[in-house]
Amino acid sequence: MAKIELSRRRFLTGSAVTAAGLSLTGCFDAAGDRTSAVRSVLETANSLTYRVQRMLLGTDSLAKEFSATEIRQGARPNGTIDPQDADYLKLAANGFADWRLQVTGLVETPLSLSLAELQAMPSRTQITRHDCVEGWSCIAKWTGVPLAFVLDRARVRSGARFAVFSCMDSYGGGFTAPVKYYESIDLVDARHAQTILAYGCNDEALPVANGAPLRVRIERQLGYKMAKYIAGIELTDSLDRFGGGRGGYWEDNGYDWFAGI
Ligand SMILES: Nc1nc2c(c(=O)[nH]1)N[C@H]1C(S)=C(S)[C@@H](COP(=O)(O)O)O[C@H]1N2
Ligand SMILES: [Mo]
C-alpha cells in the first residue's frame, strides 16, 4: 500500500508541476488553444490520469481525517476571498436569507433550498487537510450536508454523469477578463461519503473568505475542485456547454479535470 501511495503522489506532483511550469514558461496560451498540439498531449495525459487514479483510488476509500488538536489555524483562504459581484453583495447584506441553492438539470425533482433547509438536513463533520495546487495545505473542520443526500432528494436521472457547480464570484487569474468560477465532478465523487456541501468551518458559520454561504468539500481532490460561493448544482451528461468546456475555471486554463490526491 505504501508503494502505491508514493507513486500516486509522484503522479500528482508531475501533473501539478506541468501546470505550474506552463504558466511560467509562457506555454499557457498554447494550452488554452483547444486545437494546439500541446493541448492534446495534455488531454491524453489527463484522461490517463483519470483512469489510473480511479483504478488506484477505487470509489469509496476515505481521505484521512484528523483530530481537533491538529487544527493549527483558521482555514487559509485562497482564490476569491471577498466577492464583489453585485448579486453576491446583495445576498450577503442580509445574511443570505434570500439565497437559494438551485439543483437542476438531469433530475426528476428540481430543488430550490434555503440555508435553513440545508442546515435541517442530516449533517456530517470532518477534519481534513486541504491541499492547494500551489503547494500549501491546511487542516480544518468542515460541517455540512452530504451531497449524496441532496442528490437523492432531487432524484438524479440515469443519463447524468457530472455535477456542475456554478459560483457567484468572478475570478480573473490575470490571463482573461474575470469570469464566473465554476467546477464539476463525476457522480462517484459526488456520492462519496466525505463530499459535503459545507456551511460551517471550525465550529463557526462558513466565513465569506472560505465561500459563504455554501462551498463543497471533495476530500480526495485538490483545492481548486472545491467550489465556493455556490449558487447552483446542475446534473448533466456533458461538460461542453459550461464555460470553456473543460469542466472548470482552472481546467479551462490548463489544469487537470481529475485532481485526485
Ligand atoms: N468560487 C470559487 N471557488 C474556489 C476558488 C475561487 O477562486 N472561487 N478557488 C479554489 C482554490 S484554488 C482553492 S485552493 C480553494 C480555497 O479554499 P479556501 O479559501 O477555503 O482555502 O477554493 C477553490 N474554490
Ligand atoms: Mo488552490
Side-chain angles (χ1 to χ4, degrees):
M1 194 59 204
K3 221 175 193 170
I4 291 179
E5 199 70 38
L6 188 71
S7 55
R8 199 203 295 161
R9 277 267 161 218
R10 274 216 201 107
F11 210 175
L12 165 73
T13 314
S15 61
V17 165
T18 309
L22 279 171
S23 64
L24 292 176
T25 57
C27 291
F28 212 88
D29 287 340
D33 172 1
R34 291 165 77 183
T35 58
S36 82
V38 174
R39 184 80 197 214
S40 65
V41 168
L42 276 179
E43 280 171 0
T44 310
N46 192 6
S47 65
L48 227 194
T49 305
Y50 173 73
R51 283 207 302 276
V52 172
Q53 297 222 31
R54 265 277 166 267
M55 207 173 74
L56 288 174
L57 288 170
T59 55
D60 50 14
S61 62
L62 295 178
K64 181 177 160 83
E65 295 194 16
F66 297 80
S67 68
T69 55
E70 292 170 285
I71 302 173
R72 306 245 177 273
Q73 54 173 96
R76 172 184 165 160
N78 197 43
T80 301
I81 58 170
D82 192 13
Q84 292 304 310
D85 304 63
D87 45 353
Y88 181 83
L89 291 174
K90 208 170 147 202
L91 292 166
N94 73 341
F96 301 104
D98 298 320
W99 171 88
R100 295 288 180 278
L101 171 70
Q102 309 289 348
V103 184
T104 58
L106 294 175
V107 293
E108 300 293 344
T109 316
L111 305 174
S112 176
L113 301 165
S114 69
L115 197 51
E117 287 173 312
L118 288 162
Q119 287 167 342
M121 291 176 174
S123 76
R124 179 183 162 94
T125 294
Q126 58 205 28
I127 302 174
T128 51
R129 197 187 62 212
H130 179 102
D131 295 310
C132 176
V133 71
E134 292 166 358
W136 55 268
S137 35
C138 188
I139 294 172
K141 184 189 210 179
W142 304 97
T143 300
V145 52
L147 177 54
F149 182 86
V150 173
L151 294 182
D152 286 343
R153 272 278 168 93
R155 298 195 293 145
V156 176
R157 278 158 50 185
S158 61
R161 294 178 58 206
F162 307 102
V164 179
F165 303 93
S166 56
C167 304
M168 295 182 274
D169 61 312
S170 302
Y171 194 68
F175 296 101
T176 53
V179 291
K180 292 281 184 195
Y181 199 93
Y182 78 106
E183 255 305 335
S184 61
I185 53 176
D186 65 12
L187 292 189
V188 175
D189 270 328
R191 293 194 171 281
H192 185 263
Q194 290 167 316
T195 298
I196 60 174
L197 296 171
Y199 45 73
C201 176
N202 293 337
D203 297 319
E204 308 278 349
L206 184 67
V208 165
N210 300 107
L214 195 74
R215 69 96 50 86
V216 67
R217 296 294 312 165
I218 307 152
E219 304 296 357
R220 300 181 307 174
Q221 300 259 352
L222 284 171
Y224 64 87
K225 298 298 293 183
M226 305 194 211
K228 309 196 285 186
Y229 316 110
I230 296 176
I233 304 176
E234 183 172 336
L235 282 297
T236 178
D237 58 351
S238 162
L239 300 174
D240 290 353
R241 289 183 294 113
F242 302 89
R246 311 310 310 169
Y249 174 86
W250 283 111
E251 290 84 335
D252 288 337
N253 288 286
Y255 281 30
D256 285 350
W257 178 78
F258 190 74
I261 45 179

